[in-house]
Amino acid sequence: MDITIHSSFLPHTDADASLAFYRDVLEFEVRLDVGFEQMRWITVGPAGQPSTAIVLHPASVGRDLTDEEQDFLLALIAKGSYFGVNLATDDLDAVFARVEASGADIVQEPIEQDYGLRDAAFRDPAGNLIRIQQNKEQQA
Protein backbone atom coordinates (compact mmCIF):
# COMPACT_ATOMS: atom_id res chain seq x y z
CA MET A 1 0.00 0.00 0.00
CA ASP A 2 1.34 3.40 -1.00
CA ILE A 3 0.26 6.64 0.55
CA THR A 4 1.25 9.84 -1.20
CA ILE A 5 0.72 13.50 -0.44
CA HIS A 6 -1.74 14.80 -3.01
CA SER A 7 -2.23 18.38 -1.89
CA SER A 8 -1.37 20.77 0.88
CA PHE A 9 -3.29 23.90 1.77
CA LEU A 10 -1.91 27.38 2.32
CA PRO A 11 -3.99 30.46 3.07
CA HIS A 12 -3.92 33.53 0.89
CA THR A 13 -4.93 37.05 1.79
CA ASP A 14 -4.83 38.35 -1.81
CA ALA A 15 -5.70 35.72 -4.42
CA ASP A 16 -4.21 37.64 -7.36
CA ALA A 17 -0.90 38.29 -5.56
CA SER A 18 -0.61 34.63 -4.52
CA LEU A 19 -1.51 33.44 -8.02
CA ALA A 20 1.16 35.68 -9.57
CA PHE A 21 3.78 34.50 -7.06
CA TYR A 22 3.22 30.76 -7.46
CA ARG A 23 2.66 30.94 -11.24
CA ASP A 24 5.21 33.56 -12.30
CA VAL A 25 7.96 33.31 -9.68
CA LEU A 26 7.90 29.63 -8.70
CA GLU A 27 6.69 28.67 -12.21
CA PHE A 28 3.94 26.38 -10.91
CA GLU A 29 1.08 25.33 -13.16
CA VAL A 30 -2.36 26.68 -12.38
CA ARG A 31 -4.68 23.67 -12.26
CA LEU A 32 -7.86 25.14 -10.85
CA ASP A 33 -9.08 28.63 -10.03
CA VAL A 34 -12.46 28.35 -8.38
CA GLY A 35 -14.47 31.26 -7.08
CA PHE A 36 -17.47 31.48 -4.82
CA GLU A 37 -18.87 34.87 -3.93
CA GLN A 38 -15.82 36.98 -2.93
CA MET A 39 -13.55 33.96 -2.29
CA ARG A 40 -11.14 31.99 -4.50
CA TRP A 41 -9.43 28.62 -4.19
CA ILE A 42 -6.46 28.28 -6.53
CA THR A 43 -4.75 24.94 -7.07
CA VAL A 44 -1.16 25.13 -8.28
CA GLY A 45 1.58 22.57 -8.64
CA PRO A 46 4.96 21.92 -10.15
CA ALA A 47 5.02 21.21 -13.89
CA GLY A 48 5.31 17.52 -14.65
CA GLN A 49 4.05 16.47 -11.21
CA PRO A 50 0.28 16.29 -11.61
CA SER A 51 -0.22 14.35 -8.40
CA THR A 52 1.28 17.06 -6.15
CA ALA A 53 -0.50 20.34 -5.52
CA ILE A 54 -0.93 23.28 -3.20
CA VAL A 55 -4.41 24.69 -2.75
CA LEU A 56 -4.32 28.41 -1.97
CA HIS A 57 -7.46 29.22 -0.02
CA PRO A 58 -9.05 32.21 1.69
CA ALA A 59 -7.41 32.59 5.07
CA SER A 60 -10.39 32.10 7.35
CA VAL A 61 -12.89 30.25 5.22
CA GLY A 62 -14.68 27.35 6.85
CA ARG A 63 -13.76 28.42 10.34
CA ASP A 64 -16.18 29.66 12.91
CA LEU A 65 -14.01 32.54 14.10
CA THR A 66 -14.85 35.70 15.92
CA ASP A 67 -13.51 38.92 14.44
CA GLU A 68 -10.82 38.94 17.13
CA GLU A 69 -9.80 35.34 16.34
CA GLN A 70 -9.73 36.12 12.62
CA ASP A 71 -7.48 39.13 13.23
CA PHE A 72 -5.19 36.95 15.35
CA LEU A 73 -5.05 34.26 12.63
CA LEU A 74 -4.21 36.85 9.95
CA ALA A 75 -1.43 38.26 12.15
CA LEU A 76 0.08 34.76 12.58
CA ILE A 77 -0.10 34.11 8.84
CA ALA A 78 1.55 37.47 8.05
CA LYS A 79 4.42 36.61 10.41
CA GLY A 80 4.93 33.25 8.73
CA SER A 81 4.28 31.60 12.08
CA TYR A 82 1.27 29.54 11.20
CA PHE A 83 1.47 27.95 7.75
CA GLY A 84 4.34 26.89 5.58
CA VAL A 85 5.60 24.33 3.12
CA ASN A 86 8.96 22.82 2.24
CA LEU A 87 9.86 22.53 -1.44
CA ALA A 88 12.87 20.99 -3.15
CA THR A 89 14.78 21.83 -6.30
CA ASP A 90 17.83 20.69 -8.19
CA ASP A 91 18.95 24.34 -8.65
CA LEU A 92 18.48 26.33 -5.46
CA ASP A 93 20.50 29.29 -6.69
CA ALA A 94 18.34 29.78 -9.79
CA VAL A 95 15.08 29.55 -7.84
CA PHE A 96 16.39 31.83 -5.12
CA ALA A 97 17.47 34.42 -7.71
CA ARG A 98 13.93 34.47 -9.17
CA VAL A 99 12.35 34.76 -5.72
CA GLU A 100 14.72 37.54 -4.67
CA ALA A 101 14.17 39.45 -7.94
CA SER A 102 10.40 39.27 -7.37
CA GLY A 103 10.75 41.36 -4.23
CA ALA A 104 9.60 38.55 -1.94
CA ASP A 105 10.38 38.80 1.76
CA ILE A 106 13.63 36.84 2.11
CA VAL A 107 14.00 35.08 5.46
CA GLN A 108 17.23 33.20 4.78
CA GLU A 109 19.61 33.21 1.83
CA PRO A 110 20.88 29.80 0.65
CA ILE A 111 23.13 28.17 3.27
CA GLU A 112 24.59 24.76 3.99
CA GLN A 113 22.80 23.17 6.94
CA ASP A 114 24.55 20.83 9.38
CA TYR A 115 21.88 18.23 8.73
CA GLY A 116 22.89 17.66 5.13
CA LEU A 117 21.00 20.07 2.97
CA ARG A 118 21.41 23.46 1.45
CA ASP A 119 18.31 25.60 1.81
CA ALA A 120 16.77 29.04 1.75
CA ALA A 121 13.57 30.55 3.13
CA PHE A 122 11.19 33.31 2.10
CA ARG A 123 7.57 34.33 2.54
CA ASP A 124 4.85 34.20 -0.09
CA PRO A 125 2.58 37.27 -0.52
CA ALA A 126 0.34 36.18 2.39
CA GLY A 127 3.33 35.64 4.68
CA ASN A 128 3.43 31.84 4.57
CA LEU A 129 6.94 30.56 5.20
CA ILE A 130 8.34 28.72 2.19
CA ARG A 131 11.57 26.77 2.64
CA ILE A 132 13.27 25.35 -0.42
CA GLN A 133 16.08 22.88 -0.29
CA GLN A 134 18.61 21.22 -2.53
CA ASN A 135 19.96 17.87 -1.42
CA LYS A 136 23.72 17.37 -1.57
CA GLU A 137 23.27 14.66 -4.21
CA GLN A 138 21.65 17.28 -6.45
CA GLN A 139 24.43 19.85 -6.02
CA ALA A 140 26.95 20.07 -8.82
Side-chain angles (χ1 to χ4, degrees), residues 56-108:
L56 305 166
H57 64 86
S60 59
V61 69
R63 295 178 171 89
D64 186 21
L65 301 176
T66 65
D67 289 344
E68 182 177 278
E69 291 167 333
Q70 187 169 1
D71 290 344
F72 184 70
L73 174 62
L74 291 173
L76 289 176
I77 293 168
K79 276 179 67 174
S81 300
Y82 195 60
F83 291 97
V85 67
N86 286 13
L87 305 174
T89 181
D90 61 354
D91 192 347
L92 180 59
D93 292 323
V95 173
F96 185 78
R98 283 198 321 263
V99 170
E100 188 172 44
S102 77
D105 180 11
I106 303 299
V107 176
Q108 174 202 300

Side-chain angles (χ1 to χ4, degrees), residues 23-36:
R23 180 193 59 209
D24 302 338
V25 177
L26 296 182
E27 299 182 345
F28 279 12
E29 297 174 335
V30 178
R31 299 188 181 144
L32 284 173
D33 189 343
V34 178
F36 176 74

